[in-house]
């Protein structure tokens, strides 16, 4: 193997980023295959069955945006701009060391950005049907899933066998269960874990190369938190309990999740792609693997699907299960699908579940932090 080179400005990077680069470099030096991914629709089982590691690519960081705005419009979702900016400036260790990217046509901004990203690296773009139930939606999507399998086989010169797929499905279902159990610790009242810790643990574990290690870590932490609850928290009063919904929140963890908790409430649930959305829905292990994988991922409740009634159904269940007092919807700048759906979400939360709702429109810049603090502070006061 030719020697792997670190990015030109590596020495100027913050320590955490340097560490991630070195971890990824080590993986490559071990000869591991690495596939970058972005979205919950990605069929991870196919990547795993190709003996590759799936890594979630960076879509955070205000500092990644100026480089993206050289080619992308300013009035675009920060997640899209940060993803391209981190890739084009060699600041995302996962993109830098991935062999290829598995992307998807979810929202318009992302799918057009992938055309630019494809100039940097091989991007396989899965075409999503516009709805889950429309005529031929599943057949269409199944062909796309087969297309991913064929591209992985051709790209790596391998064969993804049915046995490999079945064992990947079983392992990923176990991982789903471990992640779900970890999220569900916050159902306890009072919650033994902050929403900030939940988000940090989940996002830092997303690129774990060994799923068995990840499962063991999560099972251990879940047990510790349950013990802590029994020992010290059971029967104690709870702070107001918040559920987060809307766009992914990894890029605004400090700005919103930490802020809510510093203002006196607990973030206990996430009805977004940083939460248990797809973890609650295992893949059917008895069916033909390609059919089961296709059916499973087509059930994801994302606002890019029209119609998308599953999201309100999930909210209904989660608000009850997590004993939620108020809902905070995070809307990233220029995310039209979630912004439009927010009207239905607000109506559902306030008139069917009879609890307060607030929408926060934001991006990755710190400029609106004071305004967010004020609005969230008033919202939490209402819940106390
Ligand atoms: S399955 S939520 S991860 S698309 S990038 S849609 S915020 S304008 S991320 Fe997502 Fe997959 Fe759906 Fe989940 Fe809006 Fe921004 Fe688009 Fe976004």
């Amino acid at each position: 193997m030719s020697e792997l080179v670190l990015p030109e400005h590596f020495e100027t990077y913050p320590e955490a980023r340097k560490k991630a680069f070195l971890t990824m470099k080590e993986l490559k030096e071990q000869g591991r295959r690495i596939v970058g991914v972005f979205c919950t629709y990605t069929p991870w089982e196919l990547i795993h069955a190709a003996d590759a590691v799936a890594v979630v690519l960076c879509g955070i960081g205000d500092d990644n945006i100026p480089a993206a705005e050289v080619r992308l419009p300013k009035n675009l979702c920060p997640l899209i701009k940060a993803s391209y900016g981190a890739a084009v400036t060699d600041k995302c260790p996962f993109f830098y060391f991935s062999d290829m990217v598995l992307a998807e046509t979810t929202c318009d901004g992302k799918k057009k950005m992938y055309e630019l990203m494809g100039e940097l690296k091989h991007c396989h773009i899965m075409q999503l049907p516009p709805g889950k139930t429309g005529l031929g939606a599943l057949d269409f999507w199944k062909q796309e899933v087969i297309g991913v399998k064929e591209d992985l086989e051709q790209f790596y010169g391998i064969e993804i066998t049915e046995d490999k797929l079945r064992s990947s499905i079983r392992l990923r279902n176990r991982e789903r269960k471990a992640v779900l159990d970890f999220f569900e610790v916050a159902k306890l009242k009072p919650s033994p874990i902050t929403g900030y810790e939940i988000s940090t643990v989940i996002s830092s574990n997303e690129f774990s190369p060994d799923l068995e290690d990840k499962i063991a870590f999560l099972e251990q932490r879940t047990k510790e938190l349950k013990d802590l609850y029994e020992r010290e928290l059971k029967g104690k009063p709870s702070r107001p309990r918040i559920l987060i919904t809307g766009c992914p929140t990894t890029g605004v963890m400090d700005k919103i999740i930490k802020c809510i908790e510093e203002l006196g409430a607990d973030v206990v649930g996430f009805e977004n792609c940083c939460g248990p959305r797809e973890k609650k829905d295992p893949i059917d292990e008895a069916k033909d693997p390609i059919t089961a994988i296709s059916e499973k991922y087509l059930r994801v409740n994302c606002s890019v699907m029209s119609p998308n009634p599953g999201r309100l159904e999930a909210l209904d269940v989660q608000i009850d299960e997590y004993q939620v007092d108020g809902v905070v919807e995070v809307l990233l700048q220029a995310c039209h699908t979630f912004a439009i759906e927010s009207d239905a979400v607000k109506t559902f939360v306030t008139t069917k579940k009879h609890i307060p709702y607030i929408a926060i429109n934001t991006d990755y810049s710190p400029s609106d932090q004071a305004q967010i603090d004020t609005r969230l502070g008033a919202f939490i006061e209402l819940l106390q």
Side-chain angles (χ1 to χ4, degrees), residues 36-94:
V37 304
F38 279 108
C39 177
T40 310
Y41 284 104
T42 310
W44 281 51
E45 289 71 14
L46 290 168
I47 299 172
H48 190 264
D51 290 323
V53 180
V55 288
V56 178
L57 302 174
C58 305
I60 62 172
D62 199 30
D63 59 327
N64 289 320
I65 289 183
E69 287 179 347
V70 172
R71 296 186 76 193
L72 292 169
K74 280 194 180 356
N75 180 23
L76 185 65
C77 168
L79 196 160
I80 302 172
K81 288 190 287 188
S83 302
Y84 180 68
V88 79
T89 55
D90 292 339
K91 284 195 197 148
C92 172
F94 313 112

Side-chain angles (χ1 to χ4, degrees), residues 38-41 77 79-80 104 106-107 110 247-248 273 277 300 302-304 332 334-338:
F38 279 108
C39 177
T40 310
Y41 284 104
C77 168
L79 196 160
I80 302 172
E104 73 310 309
T106 43
C107 63
K110 270 211 279 188
C247 300
C273 277
R277 175 172 280 164
V300 170
C302 177
S303 64
V304 297
L332 294 177
C335 177
H336 302 313
T337 56
F338 278 103

Side-chain angles (χ1 to χ4, degrees), residues 57-342:
L57 302 174
C58 305
I60 62 172
D62 199 30
D63 59 327
N64 289 320
I65 289 183
E69 287 179 347
V70 172
R71 296 186 76 193
L72 292 169
K74 280 194 180 356
N75 180 23
L76 185 65
C77 168
L79 196 160
I80 302 172
K81 288 190 287 188
S83 302
Y84 180 68
V88 79
T89 55
D90 292 339
K91 284 195 197 148
C92 172
F94 313 112
F95 182 85
Y96 187 84
F97 281 114
S98 61
D99 309 316
M100 63 179 279
V101 171
L102 190 44
E104 73 310 309
T105 58
T106 43
C107 63
D108 288 350
K110 270 211 279 188
K111 71 183 176 196
K112 296 306 285 183
M113 180 273 282
Y114 292 140
E115 292 176 10
L116 307 189
M117 194 171 259
E119 295 169 8
L120 307 172
K121 187 162 291 205
H122 175 54
C123 285
H124 180 102
I125 314 286
M126 296 176 283
Q127 303 285 333
L128 232 71
K132 302 176 193 183
T133 50
L135 204 57
L138 179 61
D139 289 341
F140 176 87
W141 177 235
K142 194 170 164 183
Q143 285 312 310
E144 290 298 309
V145 171
I146 292 169
V148 172
K149 175 176 175 287
E150 289 173 351
D151 195 12
L152 284 166
E153 289 178 326
Q154 200 182 2
F155 187 82
Y156 286 120
I158 54 164
E159 188 194 352
I160 297 177
T161 63
E162 189 174 324
D163 278 357
K164 279 251 177 205
L165 269 180
R166 286 192 185 283
S167 96
S168 294
I169 289 173
R170 284 194 295 273
L171 179 61
R172 280 275 294 157
N173 276 346
R174 281 183 46 229
E175 182 213 356
R176 271 188 192 98
K177 169 90 172 57
V179 177
L180 182 62
D181 288 348
F182 176 70
F183 274 117
E184 291 193 339
V185 165
K187 284 183 181 175
L188 295 169
K189 193 174 176 181
S191 172
I193 182 168
T194 64
Y196 193 75
E197 183 187 337
I198 296 175
S199 303
T200 310
V201 167
I202 293 298
S203 60
S204 57
N205 268 284
E206 261 168 354
F207 64 90
S208 182
D210 188 330
L211 291 189
E212 291 290 358
D213 284 355
K214 177 177 175 179
I215 293 169
F217 171 81
L218 288 172
E219 287 177 345
Q220 175 62 23
R221 188 69 190 124
T222 301
K223 185 180 172 310
E224 286 166 7
L225 290 162
K226 284 183 175 169
D227 290 348
L228 173 72
Y229 173 79
E230 289 296 330
R231 227 177 33 243
E232 295 178 24
L233 301 171
K234 199 172 181 178
K236 298 251 171 83
S238 168
R239 306 200 302 174
R241 296 165 64 84
I242 303 280
L243 179 107
I244 301 287
T245 189
C247 300
T249 36
T250 314
V252 289
M253 260 166 60
D254 285 64
K255 208 170 166 179
I256 295 185
I257 314 292
K258 199 176 198 179
C259 171
I260 290 173
E261 298 192 316
E262 285 177 353
L263 287 165
D266 291 328
V267 171
V268 294
F270 295 83
E271 192 291 308
N272 65 6
C273 277
C274 301
R277 175 172 280 164
E278 76 90 17
K279 309 296 174 199
K280 296 180 85 165
D281 182 19
I283 299 186
D284 188 334
E285 296 180 12
K287 280 192 179 170
D288 154 62
I290 292 289
T291 305
I293 289 170
S294 309
E295 288 175 353
K296 184 263 177 316
Y297 286 101
L298 198 56
R299 291 192 292 264
V300 170
N301 296 321
C302 177
S303 64
V304 297
M305 287 288 168
S306 177
N308 183 33
R311 180 153 170 241
L312 294 187
E313 288 158 20
L315 268 170
D316 192 7
V317 173
Q318 262 179 277
I319 287 171
D320 292 345
E321 284 183 351
Y322 287 77
Q323 304 179 65
V324 169
D325 300 310
V327 171
V328 175
E329 178 146 47
V330 177
L331 299 170
L332 294 177
Q333 168 196 301
C335 177
H336 302 313
T337 56
F338 278 103
I340 293 169
E341 248 182 45
S342 71

